[in-house]
Amino acid sequence: MRAYVITEPGIGGVADVEPPSPAPDGVVVGVSKVGICGTDMEFFDGSMAYLHDGNARYPLRIGHEWVGRVLEVGVDVDPAYIGRRVTGDTMLGCGRCQRCTAGRAHVCAARYEIGVRGGWPGALAERLAVPVSALHAIPDSIDDIAAAMIEPAGNAWRALDGAGVVAGERLLILGPGTIGLLCAMFAHAVGVEVHLLGLEGRSLDFARTLGFDGVWTSDTLPSLAWHGVVDASNASHLPGLAIDLVEPGRRVALVGLAGSPSRVDSRGIALKDVTLVGVLGASAGLRPAIDAFASGTVDPGPLVSAIVSLEEATDVLSGGRLPGAGPGPKTLIDLKRRSRC
């Protein structure tokens, strides 16, 4: 089958690899569409932290935001799964340790992360092996474009949940990328007053078209009571700013990851009685994201700027703006599409 393989920093391409077989408790999915995210780009340029702490190594196959149909099932799986349209959890715990049995498989020390951690091959391929326990069915009301956005949406939902705001309160989101914008959409849908902070340019211009209550730069941000703050950026100084800005006694959710350590003053956290909430993975947010997409309360479609072939993945991972791409932050790879070249 065709799969995208990164062999070293800045070097990757489509290769013919052996197709997977289902584990006894697993399935093989025929992949339809895959989203490219910042983590994938960090694997491509070599900066991703897992490459430096031993949790990932080249060659590797990326892709953890996906949708497809079940083609094969393992011997212990109900054959009725064949043909089902699905996406799946990225975080695959061992299932035996105390964290897994307590419902925290996403932080299992021995976990795999599909296309990310531990060498589990990712979805940027024609077929993907997945445990049946990780699958989530996709209703017909969600098309493949939106379905490929469920994984980042799950992260965004968890970030909003972590920020602890309710209808009528005010939320500030730092970073108008895919997860920040999805978080803003979830918040807006439940009656939260939504504001975003970013750098002037294309991303912020796009955010202004989506109808949020305020879109600001650091120079224009008004002095308001922020009842919750979400850091969805990759800037190392913004967690500290989030703590400074949030109302005393409220919450800051940290879903973004910077390339260098973030320094925060614990005195500010303690003296303001602020709660910091870390968000790793979409696991608990996948079902709420599916429900919101299915009901139409959140529409991720405008965030997709381009849909391209597997052969064009290198151009996307290199950070280039593809010809004809729209203003949104997300590019999808269509595994059934062939290169225009």
Side-chain angles (χ1 to χ4, degrees):
M1 68 174 184
R2 294 157 59 239
Y4 192 87
V5 181
I6 303 174
T7 54
E8 59 183 278
I11 305 295
V14 180
D16 287 325
V17 303
E18 286 295 315
S21 298
D25 61 349
V27 305
V28 170
V29 173
V31 180
S32 171
K33 289 182 174 62
V34 180
I36 298 295
C37 82
T39 297
D40 299 317
M41 297 173 80
E42 289 178 359
F43 274 127
F44 186 76
D45 68 22
S47 64
M48 206 283 173
Y50 282 172
L51 292 168
H52 306 283
D53 64 14
N55 282 308
R57 59 179 54 87
Y58 298 114
L60 57 86
R61 285 162 46 191
I62 57 173
H64 58 279
E65 306 174 1
W66 58 272
V67 60
R69 287 190 184 273
V70 176
L71 299 178
E72 300 178 61
V73 299
V75 295
D76 296 332
V77 177
D78 186 345
Y81 272 94
I82 293 176
R84 289 185 187 176
R85 198 157 146 268
V86 295
T87 189
D89 198 342
T90 299
M91 318 297 273
L92 309 178
C94 71
R96 301 178 301 275
C97 69
Q98 186 177 26
R99 295 175 192 174
C100 286
T101 56
R104 298 190 298 275
H106 66 295
V107 290
C108 170
R111 73 185 179 276
Y112 293 98
E113 298 177 25
I114 294 175
V116 177
R117 186 181 195 265
W120 193 290
L124 214 55
E126 291 178 316
R127 296 188 175 205
L128 172 70
V130 192
V132 71
S133 59
L135 296 181
H136 287 263
I138 304 298
D140 291 341
S141 57
I142 302 177
D143 65 20
D144 276 2
I145 293 173
M149 298 282 284
I150 288 168
E151 197 278 342
N155 281 276
W157 184 91
R158 289 196 63 215
L160 174 61
D161 184 59
V165 291
V166 298
E169 293 186 328
R170 186 178 297 117
L171 175 68
L172 178 64
I173 299 170
L174 312 181
T178 298
I179 290 179
L181 292 174
L182 285 166
C183 184
M185 288 177 167
F186 281 117
H188 182 75
V190 296
V192 172
E193 181 184 322
V194 179
H195 297 253
L196 291 112
L197 176 71
L199 299 175
E200 199 60 74
R202 178 174 51 81
S203 295
L204 217 56
D205 289 342
F206 175 67
R208 291 189 178 103
T209 71
L210 299 177
F212 301 121
D213 297 283
V215 179
W216 315 99
T217 67
S218 58
D219 293 331
T220 63
L221 183 69
S223 179
L224 297 172
W226 306 110
H227 303 115
V229 179
V230 171
D231 177 22
S233 78
N234 61 1
S236 60
H237 71 285
L238 286 185
L241 179 63
I243 294 164
D244 291 341
L245 292 173
V246 74
E247 279 285 285
R250 302 307 295 260
R251 295 172 141 220
V252 171
L254 305 173
V255 67
L257 288 174
S260 58
S262 298
R263 306 293 182 186
V264 298
D265 188 341
S266 62
R267 294 171 297 181
I269 300 169
L271 293 173
K272 291 182 67 175
D273 198 25
V274 169
T275 299
L276 301 185
V277 179
V279 176
L280 175 67
S283 301
L286 292 172
R287 177 47 55 190
I290 291 168
D291 291 344
F293 287 6
S295 68
T297 56
V298 173
D299 176 13
L303 305 190
V304 177
S305 65
I307 303 173
V308 302
S309 69
L310 186 62
E311 287 76 13
E312 294 167 286
T314 297
D315 295 333
V316 179
L317 292 165
S318 299
R321 194 75 182 165
L322 300 176
K330 177 63 69 174
T331 300
L332 303 183
I333 306 296
D334 185 340
L335 271 296
K336 302 183 186 305
R337 181 179 298 195
R338 293 287 179 167
S339 173
R340 295 177 298 235
C341 301

